[in-house]
Amino acid sequence: MNTASQSTSASTNTSAFATFLEKLFKLKAHNTTIKTEVMAGLTTFVTMAYILFVNPDIMSIAGMDYQAVFVATALSAAIGCIFMGLYANWPVGLAPGMGLNAFFTFAVVKGMDYTWEVALGAVFISSIVFVIMSVTKLRSWIIDSIPSSLRYAMTAGVGLFLGIIGLKAAGIITASPATLVTLGNFHDPKVILGSLSFLIIAILATRKVFGAVLIGIVVTTVISVIMGLVSLPEQVVSLPTGLSKTFMKMDVMGALDVSMVSIILAFLFVNMFDTAGTMIGVAEKSNMYNKDGKIKNLNKALTADSLASVAGAVIGCPPVTTYIESNAGIAEGGRTGLTAVVVGLLFLASMFFAPIAQIVPGYATAGALIYVAFLMVGSLHKVNWDEFTDYVPAAITAIMMPLTYSIADGIILGFLSFTIIKHGTGRSADVSLGMNVLAVVFIAKLAFI
């Protein structure tokens, strides 16, 4: 075959592939191109790639194999992104949820002495419930039942919980027999570097620098290598291994215990409201509203998100959720599911770079935890601070999560205080049937479990 024929054949194949993508993602209808979608996908991946370092670091503390969790993180993110792109045609990235992974390790496993297998069972059950809620009217009933002030407080509380974990991991705070916590030792170079990681991320993110979180982690790691605090790996690329240590290891029967109810609800509520809030924000950013003012394919997007959580639990991860970092790709012009598919393919490729991930020190990823924590705490400004019976339960919800070292306990105390205060002040009309039912369940848990 001569050069001209080869060129014609390549051009035909390229044209056919472009036509296929156009039919699949409706690029012209969304006023975008293949090049724009690919660049948007790359942008989103870089801004959320830090989860590849942070999630294995947190989950390994629960006793899970680091290598296995790294592969599971990349694979569950890839599955979630690709399914979201093909099924819902949304330009968003998904991965194991920040905050939820900390709750999994530090509250459920370390705090309550459950095995990580039982904790995965709770994630699996909550994800199945989320799927059922996403395909029925149950989701909207639950969301409407819980007052907005408590929804915002849950996000902020998870942020505070994540923050105290990040500060502890960086050594910025440490245990004290007299005051529970106190300032860490700033003569320790690791504490300085943990603080530096956060400051780099915060400054670059505020200046809207591309990949701010990843840059902060990488710079801190490089400095650590130069200082001799960590060693370079013998190889950069390796075949994905270890997944058998987490795949299908969830203990569902162990999680089917009445003492696990609040934990399952915590995974469910935090995942549900975090996902809903993120999706609404993404829809506004990308103008994904139809002529009736409703968000396009929202039910499909929620279903894809919930199914990704089920897949994540099976593989060995905390709930998989939509990332707010997706806005970075949308700002670059991403408008269709092709952006999400590109993110997913990049996560698949990242499975081969586990040796690099393993040299990243915990204090470097702690900076990312602290940064994400402050972003989540920002939701408190949406609480109705003019109404005492609204903001007090909201404050209890948010504050008690880090103080009890449990997202579940924060939810229980916040929800109970809301219900009791509202009824006690003659505002029973503000308490939905769903809140009353949850109050009875939570009282029973505190009384008998």
Side-chain angles (χ1 to χ4, degrees):
M1 184 180 291
N2 57 36
T3 303
S5 298
Q6 290 177 339
S7 178
T8 301
S9 177
S11 177
T12 301
N13 291 336
T14 301
S15 177
F17 184 62
T19 301
F20 170 74
L21 293 179
E22 168 60 35
K23 290 181 178 180
L24 189 60
F25 298 108
K26 299 178 175 59
L27 301 175
K28 291 181 181 178
H30 288 86
N31 194 30
T32 186
T33 64
I34 295 175
K35 180 181 178 180
T36 298
E37 294 292 300
V38 170
M39 290 305 299
L42 176 61
T43 301
T44 296
F45 173 76
V46 171
T47 58
M48 62 184 289
Y50 65 87
I51 193 62
L52 290 167
F53 311 121
V54 179
N55 196 54
D57 196 42
I58 292 176
M59 301 291 281
S60 61
I61 297 173
M64 301 179 72
D65 182 78
Y66 185 100
Q67 174 78 18
V69 176
F70 177 85
V71 175
T73 300
L75 185 57
S76 62
I79 291 172
C81 292
I82 293 172
F83 185 61
M84 176 67 77
L86 295 177
Y87 180 66
N89 202 23
W90 271 50
V92 296
L94 295 86
M98 290 290 289
L100 289 166
N101 50 11
F103 174 58
F104 181 103
T105 293
F106 297 101
V108 181
V109 177
K110 290 294 184 180
M112 302 178 188
D113 291 326
Y114 287 106
T115 65
W116 62 263
E117 291 90 346
V118 170
L120 270 183
V123 171
F124 180 79
I125 293 171
S126 70
S127 300
I128 292 294
V129 174
F130 193 11
V131 172
I132 295 172
M133 292 172 61
S134 296
V135 298
T136 65
K137 294 182 179 180
L138 184 59
R139 183 194 71 248
S140 59
W141 180 78
I142 290 289
I143 292 177
D144 292 340
S145 295
I146 299 176
S148 58
S149 60
L150 291 183
R151 297 181 218 166
Y152 300 135
M154 281 192 289
T155 299
V158 172
L160 291 172
F161 180 67
L162 195 61
I164 198 170
I165 290 170
L167 291 169
K168 181 181 177 183
I172 298 172
I173 61 172
T174 188
S176 167
T179 60
L180 296 182
V181 293
T182 189
L183 189 66
N185 177 18
F186 273 81
H187 294 290
D188 185 344
K190 295 179 181 179
V191 177
I192 299 294
L193 289 173
S195 304
L196 179 64
S197 174
F198 163 69
L199 292 173
I200 292 173
I201 293 169
I203 291 170
L204 294 182
T206 302
R207 289 180 171 273
K208 301 187 184 304
V209 174
F210 175 70
V213 177
L214 190 60
I215 291 173
I217 293 175
V218 171
V219 168
T220 305
T221 302
V222 170
I223 294 174
S224 299
V225 172
I226 295 173
M227 294 178 66
L229 298 174
V230 297
S231 302
L232 290 174
E234 295 181 358
Q235 57 183 7
V236 174
V237 179
S238 67
L239 291 175
T241 59
L243 190 60
S244 61
K245 296 179 180 179
T246 59
F247 181 71
M248 290 290 289
K249 298 298 184 181
M250 66 279 189
D251 184 358
V252 177
M253 296 307 297
L256 289 174
D257 186 279
V258 68
S259 63
M260 295 292 292
V261 170
S262 61
I263 295 172
I264 293 171
L265 289 177
F267 277 127
L268 174 63
F269 288 160
V270 174
N271 190 17
M272 180 171 60
F273 292 124
D274 182 53
T275 297
T278 299
M279 286 185 173
I280 290 172
V282 166
E284 291 174 351
K285 185 82 173 179
S286 58
N287 192 27
M288 296 180 66
Y289 290 88
N290 57 28
K291 296 178 181 179
D292 299 325
K294 295 182 179 180
I295 299 175
K296 299 176 183 177
N297 290 340
L298 178 59
N299 286 337
K300 283 188 174 183
L302 285 168
T303 301
D305 187 286
S306 58
L307 286 172
S309 285
V310 175
V314 171
I315 295 170
C317 280
V320 174
T321 186
T322 303
Y323 267 54
I324 194 65
E325 284 84 355
S326 301
N327 281 330
I330 289 171
E332 290 295 317
R335 292 294 179 271
T336 74
L338 180 55
T339 293
V341 171
V342 170
V343 177
L345 293 176
L346 290 171
F347 268 116
L348 276 179
S350 69
M351 290 194 300
F352 297 89
F353 295 92
I356 295 179
Q358 287 181 301
I359 72 167
V360 178
Y363 51 82
T365 58
L369 294 179
I370 299 168
Y371 171 70
V372 173
F374 282 121
L375 292 183
M376 298 178 76
V377 171
S379 66
L380 278 177
H381 83 277
K382 298 178 181 179
V383 172
N384 181 12
W385 293 101
D386 294 324
E387 174 55 52
F388 181 88
T389 59
D390 280 343
Y391 75 72
V392 169
I396 290 173
T397 302
I399 293 172
M400 293 308 291
M401 285 187 189
L403 291 184
T404 61
Y405 226 61
S406 170
I407 293 174
D409 288 343
I411 290 175
I412 290 173
L413 296 173
F415 280 37
L416 279 178
S417 62
F418 177 88
T419 305
I420 294 171
I421 290 174
K422 285 291 186 179
H423 283 308
T425 55
R427 293 174 171 82
S428 297
D430 293 343
V431 185
S432 65
L433 173 62
M435 286 296 291
N436 283 319
V437 171
L438 287 174
V440 172
V441 172
F442 290 153
I443 288 174
K445 181 188 183 300
L446 292 176
F448 304 109
I449 301 175

